[in-house]
Amino acid sequence: MAETADFFSRFPGFTPNPSASIIDEFERLARHRGWSHNSRRRKHHSEWIDFAEAEFDRCFGAETKLESYQNLCQILIPDEPAPPSITQCRKALKRVYVNLIDLIDAVRMGTEVPRFRNIKALRANIKETERVFPRMAAKKGVLKELLREIW
């Protein structure tokens, strides 16, 4: 997966803002490129997936797979020490409900990650805000541990 800087290097004249929301940043890129609103959702959907993957890697990539899992656990479960194994990290992450866009935005902006008490509350948030992380990007790496059945 590409780093965010590599992703944006394909778009001359566009200067990324690493502390902006990823949705706002992608919308700004779409306006810069002249992509119509309908085009952004269909034709340039692969660009959104590439950007989301690159940004997730930038925020949560680590030297080893275990470090990536532990990093995610420390961000999402700050009151507990990071589990010592990938299996234990996976178990811990199964009880966490977050909007993946909110998660990345919190890391980008240095804010707390909004957490939901259950899947019902998470579904309601995603349906209300329409802030949906691309499923194809979410199926890769440690992020897949946070995928929940929404629709």
Side-chain angles (χ1 to χ4, degrees), residues 3-4 6 19 38-39 73 80 82 97 109 114 116 119 126 129:
E3 287 289 323
T4 309
D6 293 338
S19 63
N38 288 337
S39 172
C73 284
E80 299 175 17
Y97 300 95
M109 296 181 229
F116 300 91
I119 188 69
I126 291 173
T129 64

Side-chain angles (χ1 to χ4, degrees), residues 101-148:
I101 298 288
D102 292 344
L103 170 61
I104 292 174
D105 282 353
V107 172
R108 286 174 66 99
M109 296 181 229
T111 60
E112 190 173 321
V113 181
R115 291 178 50 182
F116 300 91
R117 66 184 176 285
N118 55 38
I119 188 69
K120 185 177 178 180
L122 175 60
R123 278 187 189 122
N125 170 267
I126 291 173
K127 287 178 182 177
E128 178 184 324
T129 64
E130 298 182 355
R131 291 169 53 89
V132 180
F133 193 84
R135 186 170 181 81
M136 292 303 294
K139 289 184 174 183
K140 299 176 181 176
V142 299
L143 191 55
K144 68 185 173 200
E145 304 302 332
L146 297 172
L147 277 179
R148 304 293 183 256

Side-chain angles (χ1 to χ4, degrees), residues 38 72 87 91 98 114 128 134 137 147 151:
N38 288 337
L72 193 55
T87 300
K91 286 180 184 177
V98 296
E128 178 184 324
L147 277 179
W151 313 113

Side-chain angles (χ1 to χ4, degrees), residues 2 5 13-14 23 29 42 47 49-50 52 54 59-60 65 76 85 87 90 93 107-108 120 136 139 146 150:
F14 183 82
I23 289 177
L29 172 64
R42 288 190 206 109
E47 299 290 2
I49 292 169
D50 289 349
C59 292
F60 300 102
K65 194 172 183 179
L76 293 173
S85 72
T87 300
R90 284 181 173 154
L93 292 170
V107 172
R108 286 174 66 99
K120 185 177 178 180
M136 292 303 294
K139 289 184 174 183
L146 297 172
I150 300 299

Side-chain angles (χ1 to χ4, degrees), residues 1-46:
M1 288 188 241
E3 287 289 323
T4 309
D6 293 338
F7 173 83
F8 285 119
S9 69
R10 299 184 331 209
F11 306 103
F14 183 82
T15 304
N17 177 357
S19 63
S21 163
I22 65 169
I23 289 177
D24 292 346
E25 195 66 348
F26 190 77
E27 287 294 317
R28 195 167 68 82
L29 172 64
R31 284 190 305 277
H32 173 79
R33 299 293 297 176
W35 299 335
S36 71
H37 188 68
N38 288 337
S39 172
R40 289 178 217 166
R41 293 189 184 266
R42 288 190 206 109
K43 189 171 164 189
H44 299 289
H45 184 68
S46 64

